[in-house]
């Protein structure tokens, strides 16, 4: 998955079938990530990472959970499945949250 922007310290956790397979800190502040910006309205830093977080998923059916245990939000720009083969179509169920301008 490609991590985009982070507001006020992110802590990305990835679980595969209920077991934690990745835990990545995304701190915010001056000079961090690809770029950082101080947002005066919120009195905090927002940092753009544009960084991939990869996990290996063995063949078969699995449940992948992604959560942010940090202080605020993380944007995920996209998910990429590589070396994924199927005889028909992907058997995916995607759940998420949506606001007026973000999902």
């Amino acid at each position: 998955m490609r991590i985009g922007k982070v507001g006020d310290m992110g802590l990305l956790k990835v679980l595969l079938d209920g077991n934690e397979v990745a835990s990545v800190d995304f701190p915010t502040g001056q000079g961090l990530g690809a770029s950082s910006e101080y947002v005066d309205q919120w009195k905090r830093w927002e940092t753009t990472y544009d960084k991939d977080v990869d996990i290996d998923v063995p063949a078969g059916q699995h449940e992948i959970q992604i959560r942010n245990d940090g202080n605020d939000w993380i944007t995920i720009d996209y998910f990429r499945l590589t070396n994924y083969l199927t005889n028909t179509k992907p058997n995916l169920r995607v759940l998420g949250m949506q606001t007026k301008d973000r999902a």
Side-chain angles (χ1 to χ4, degrees):
M1 72 199 83
R2 171 58 62 103
I3 304 304
K5 203 170 192 179
V6 178
D8 194 26
M9 179 56 195
L11 176 56
L12 182 77
K13 299 273 184 145
V14 183
L15 289 83
L16 177 65
D17 300 324
N19 299 307
E20 185 177 299
V21 293
S23 177
V24 184
D25 285 317
F26 288 98
T28 54
Q30 186 174 11
L32 297 176
S35 65
S36 290
E37 171 186 13
Y38 186 77
V39 181
D40 196 50
Q41 176 183 4
W42 306 113
K43 307 286 189 247
R44 68 165 190 209
W45 287 91
E46 293 180 0
T47 299
T48 300
Y49 276 91
D50 291 331
K51 177 181 176 169
D52 290 337
V53 174
D54 301 322
I55 64 165
D56 291 324
V57 180
Q61 183 174 336
H62 300 281
E63 179 179 285
I64 300 171
Q65 296 177 19
I66 301 160
R67 68 179 196 231
N68 174 20
D69 286 349
N71 293 340
D72 210 341
W73 49 267
I74 295 176
T75 64
I76 299 174
D77 293 343
Y78 56 83
F79 294 91
R80 179 181 21 227
L81 301 175
T82 58
N83 300 321
Y84 179 80
L85 301 174
T86 181
N87 291 335
T88 57
K89 58 186 175 189
N91 182 18
L92 298 173
R93 184 177 83 167
V94 179
L95 305 173
M97 296 187 313
Q98 174 182 334
T99 66
K100 290 181 182 178
D101 64 345
R102 299 193 192 275

